Amino acid sequence: EAGVAQSPRYKIIEKRQSVAFWCNPISGHATLYWYQQILGQGPKLLIQFQNNGVVDDSQLPKDRFSAERLKGVDSTLKIQPAKLEDSAVYLCASSLGDRGTEAFFGQGTRLTVV
Amino acid sequence: AQSVTQPDIHITVSEGASLELRCNYSYGATPYLFWYVQSPGQGLQLLLKYFSGDTLVQGIKGFEAEFKRSQSSFNLRKPSVHWSDAAEYFCAVGSFGNEKLTFGTGTRLTIIP
């Protein structure tokens, strides 16, 4: 079974530029998560989708971050404009969405804002 | 609101020694609890999870964890660590209904020969 795919693996941009990350979840997984992991910290949930609807985006900085999940499958996370403090690993995860089912994580995209 | 505390930022153990990583959670009802491991440059891999039933849970790579409701804890244990266990370990709590996962800050495990 193919895992969660993310691209790119690494990205370096200058502050105030824009960037987009792509995630392809495991086939059949209804729930998709985007997490931000700053160096030395645990993952922080940015947004959670159930199919193509948003379940939780309470910690998404909506003035600069946006996310969508087209047709309930792939998802993109965009930052515009980027700030230095956005430097982090952005992890995508997916799960079946049933009670207690585990989330499977991609390898992440490491973003460096200079 | 749900939360997870991992009080140990960094732990060093000798190869072959036993290991216990601490995790305390805050949640209003019976939680789902998970332990994930993250190697450098990699995503998170599930070690084990507690959903209901037996409070002692067995996972992959010889790990186990015990859910103690009275102490709001879900500590991870391994009787004998291997050098390949060196990694970052994250405890997480999930909630009924929306399956939101909240992670702790992680414990970095170093193994010395």
Side-chain angles (χ1 to χ4, degrees):
Chain A
E1 166 180 277
V4 177
Q6 290 188 248
S7 67
R9 285 296 311 277
Y10 306 93
K11 190 74 176 179
I12 300 174
I13 62 172
E14 295 182 349
K15 59 184 180 183
R16 292 187 290 274
Q17 285 187 324
S18 63
V19 64
F21 313 127
W22 173 80
C23 173
N24 185 21
I26 293 173
S27 178
H29 279 195
T31 302
L32 186 146
Y33 310 84
W34 282 103
Y35 284 87
Q36 179 193 57
Q37 187 177 21
I38 294 172
L39 186 64
Q41 299 182 18
K44 182 184 82 171
L45 180 68
L46 292 176
I47 189 167
Q48 178 182 345
F49 292 95
Q50 180 78 8
N51 297 307
N52 60 353
V54 175
V55 174
D56 188 332
D57 63 356
S58 57
Q59 297 193 86
L60 186 74
K62 298 180 185 65
D63 58 334
R64 298 184 299 106
F65 286 64
S66 64
E68 60 181 4
R69 189 179 185 194
L70 299 175
K71 299 181 181 178
V73 183
D74 292 7
S75 179
T76 56
L77 177 69
K78 297 179 181 178
I79 308 175
Q80 181 179 4
K83 293 185 176 181
L84 296 177
E85 58 260 37
D86 298 331
S87 295
V89 175
Y90 290 84
L91 295 165
C92 179
S94 69
S95 75
L96 287 170
D98 298 331
R99 283 188 168 187
T101 54
E102 67 182 271
F104 292 83
F105 283 80
Q107 290 189 297
T109 296
R110 182 176 295 278
L111 173 67
T112 302
V113 183
V114 297
Chain B
Q2 61 199 58
S3 65
V4 176
T5 301
Q6 293 181 250
D8 303 305
I9 296 173
H10 184 204
I11 285 182
T12 300
V13 298
S14 298
E15 190 169 15
S18 64
L19 171 70
E20 183 169 25
L21 302 182
R22 296 183 290 166
C23 171
N24 293 97
Y25 69 90
S26 174
Y27 184 66
T30 300
Y32 307 128
L33 294 160
F34 305 84
W35 274 100
Y36 282 86
V37 61
Q38 186 178 36
S39 298
Q42 301 298 312
L44 282 77
Q45 180 186 22
L46 182 72
L47 287 176
L48 47 79
K49 67 179 181 181
Y50 171 77
F51 177 39
S52 64
D54 193 345
T55 56
L56 185 62
V57 180
Q58 302 297 321
I60 63 171
K61 303 184 181 184
F63 286 92
E64 67 177 27
E66 186 171 11
F67 171 60
K68 293 185 176 180
R69 184 190 303 275
S70 61
Q71 298 176 21
S72 297
S73 69
F74 189 57
N75 294 349
L76 181 72
R77 301 193 294 249
K78 187 170 185 178
S80 176
V81 298
H82 186 261
W83 65 265
S84 60
D85 294 325
E88 189 93 19
Y89 290 80
F90 293 95
C91 183
V93 60
S95 58
F96 283 99
N98 63 14
E99 314 312 311
K100 176 179 176 178
L101 279 182
T102 300
F103 284 83
T105 51
T107 298
R108 182 160 61 95
L109 176 64
T110 298
I111 309 295
I112 55 176

